[in-house]
Amino acid sequence: MVPRLAARWGDERLLGAALVVLTLGIAVLWVPSAAGLFTGTVLIGAGIAVGTCCCRA
């Protein structure tokens, strides 16, 4: 999925989007509820996964 997105958007734009998702996930973790905890964790995981796959050698 990530290689297709990288081919469509480009590596730089996809990495920027991954950083935005990661930042949003960190912000959602500040919500004092279980839903905020789970949503923030999912967003952080997605941002890390896309960012890691996007930064290939």
Side-chain angles (χ1 to χ4, degrees):
M1 184 171 146
V2 174
R4 280 190 239 155
L5 288 173
R8 183 175 180 181
W9 288 3
D11 288 338
E12 294 84 10
R13 288 176 63 191
L14 187 59
L15 185 58
L19 289 174
V20 169
V21 170
L22 184 63
T23 304
L24 184 63
I26 292 170
V28 170
L29 281 178
W30 285 86
V31 175
S33 68
L37 176 68
F38 292 127
T39 304
T41 303
V42 168
L43 288 173
I44 289 172
I48 291 171
V50 171
T52 301
C53 292
C54 184
C55 294
R56 57 187 184 272

